[in-house]
Amino acid sequence: MKKHLSLLTISLLCLITVANSQTYGLVLHGGAGTITKAGLSKERQNVYETGLQKALDAGYFVLDEGGNAEDAVIAAIRILEDDSNFNSARGSVLNANGAVEMDASIMKGVDLNAGAVAGVTTVRHPIEAATKVMLSSPHVMMSNAGADLFAKEQGLEIMPTSYFITKGSQATLKGVQDRLKEQGSVESEYPDWKFGTVGVAALDKQGNLAAGTSTGGMTNKMHNRIGDSPIIGAGTYANNKTCAVSCTGHGEYFIRLNLAHEVSALMLYKGYDVEKAASFMIHKSLSDMGGSGGLVAMDRKGHISMPFNTPGMFRAYQMSDGRKSVLMFKDEE
Ligand code: ASP
């Protein structure tokens, strides 16, 4: 009897250990671009660091409490959407007409369910609108006025357009437009950009992955231009068989490369690990095409990859095994 009992205790202990052995955590980005030590005062570095840390804490708290990966993605992105220092929701960059048009998407790795909105102008949290499309509509992607209306009908918080526009985004637009005028260029080039889009890849205690991305797009974009961020497979992708990915950078290249899905495909069909797949897509495929940007990715075991080919990328991660960091510049681990 005693022997049976101790066997039972050992089996139970083993079960508990297996249940607890699932690593969980999240990795996030706050955009890639000309982010350098020389170009960013200590004060500004602190501002970004604080924003990233707040978002990381919110996402990690959800996971630590046993919440699912998509809820962690939403919790972290909501914080950055409210933070006017990042290019999503409040603080979004402006299009050529000086207006805000926001894109967001979310995807679950467990069932490949996904939702996205493009060109919304009134929703306080576009990531929540994307989630509503995923969970409460028969669709994957909605755009413009229809998406705004749907978000409102779903009870999401609506803001006046002035809420999203900041002095900083107005000054950036003016700077870009003045420079283009000086150069006599009519094209929407994006000189000296700091993208500032936000995105998260998360892994929960159940071993499920999710990814999400939210952005105002690119300064001086044409009216109704849609970037990669709301396009499943381009800016966001998640599959429990491979990884969760959120991208940031010059969206036109990410769309043409179907970049986020390609990271997953390299893992699925070529057996690459997440680091090799993500690095290949950024440093080879994207760079060879002349595109700029980066991504954050996480696999089911909690391996993280954060490649970028720009001078810097705001990024941060926290994992249940103790790994954690907030980073901005090149050559930081
Ligand atoms: N990828 C976004 C877009 O092209 C911009 C960014 O990541 O900052 O809209």
Side-chain angles (χ1 to χ4, degrees):
M1 180 68 180
K2 218 173 173 187
K3 199 171 163 196
H4 277 135
L5 265 181
S6 54
L7 266 178
L8 193 70
T9 318
I10 290 170
S11 324
L12 270 175
L13 275 176
C14 284
L15 265 178
I16 290 167
T17 316
V18 169
N20 286 340
S21 68
Q22 173 65 54
T23 305
Y24 59 92
L26 73 162
V27 57
L28 59 85
H29 68 76
T34 40
I35 301 160
T36 59
K37 249 186 203 152
L40 214 55
S41 67
K42 265 266 166 271
E43 235 176 18
R44 289 301 291 161
Q45 288 180 35
N46 282 340
V47 166
Y48 286 113
E49 214 171 281
T50 307
L52 295 169
Q53 187 62 56
K54 243 177 105 182
L56 199 61
D57 290 346
Y60 192 79
F61 178 77
V62 170
L63 297 171
D64 205 34
E65 293 283 293
N68 60 38
E70 57 276 21
D71 285 340
V73 168
I74 297 163
I77 289 184
R78 272 175 53 97
I79 300 278
L80 296 168
E81 285 180 336
D82 279 346
D83 186 334
S84 62
N85 294 295
F86 294 90
N87 170 19
S88 65
R90 184 159 212 212
S92 281
V93 298
L94 305 178
N95 71 11
N97 304 338
V100 162
E101 291 175 341
M102 303 169 286
D103 300 335
S105 65
I106 187 160
M107 183 165 190
K108 290 165 62 184
V110 65
D111 54 8
L112 305 190
N113 207 358
V117 290
V120 291
T121 57
T122 61
V123 199
R124 176 169 174 186
H125 292 295
I127 192 67
E128 290 184 342
T131 308
K132 285 288 185 192
V133 173
M134 172 170 76
L135 299 177
S136 308
S137 89
H139 307 302
V140 169
M141 190 176 194
M142 293 182 70
S143 76
N144 302 90
D148 275 305
L149 185 63
F150 173 72
K152 190 175 175 197
E153 283 169 359
Q154 289 293 315
L156 296 187
E157 201 170 346
I158 299 300
M159 294 305 228
T161 48
S162 58
Y163 164 82
F164 301 98
I165 299 176
T166 62
K167 289 218 157 58
S169 60
Q170 284 174 322
T172 306
L173 178 65
K174 190 173 178 318
V176 169
Q177 291 185 335
D178 285 351
R179 214 168 330 165
L180 287 171
K181 237 179 253 158
E182 254 167 52
Q183 292 165 0
S185 166
V186 287
E187 280 190 44
S188 297
E189 284 302 325
Y190 307 101
D192 191 25
W193 39 259
K194 290 179 201 67
F195 288 124
T197 290
V198 306
V200 181
L203 172 64
D204 64 29
K205 281 185 181 172
Q206 290 72 43
N208 292 320
L209 291 163
T213 311
S214 182
T215 188
M218 297 182 76
T219 298
N220 201 37
K221 64 183 181 182
M222 288 173 74
H223 173 49
N224 280 2
R225 172 264 190 187
I226 295 172
D228 61 311
S229 309
I231 298 178
I232 297 301
T236 301
Y237 198 73
N239 183 342
N240 272 4
K241 287 193 183 133
T242 54
C243 63
V245 185
S246 170
C247 300
T248 177
H250 196 151
E252 278 69 12
Y253 293 89
F254 286 75
I255 295 173
R256 290 157 69 200
L257 285 166
N258 208 0
L259 202 141
H261 178 265
E262 204 82 344
V263 174
S264 167
L266 283 173
M267 294 175 72
L268 195 59
Y269 303 123
K270 278 203 145 190
Y272 283 19
D273 63 33
V274 67
E275 176 58 29
K276 191 172 170 192
S279 293
F280 180 86
M281 286 314 300
I282 295 297
H283 295 301
K284 181 82 185 116
S285 303
L286 181 68
S287 296
D288 281 0
M289 255 178 115
S292 310
L295 63 81
V296 294
M298 166 123 48
D299 74 8
R300 244 187 136 174
K301 291 194 172 139
H303 297 120
I304 290 170
S305 181
M306 308 178 294
F308 53 96
N309 67 359
T310 48
M313 180 169 83
F314 295 120
R315 59 204 189 278
Y317 57 87
Q318 182 167 359
M319 302 301 297
S320 57
D321 56 17
R323 285 173 289 153
K324 102 192 230 188
S325 212
V326 178
L327 307 160
M328 291 177 207
F329 309 114
K330 248 198 184 118
D331 304 322
E332 289 181 309
E333 291 282 325

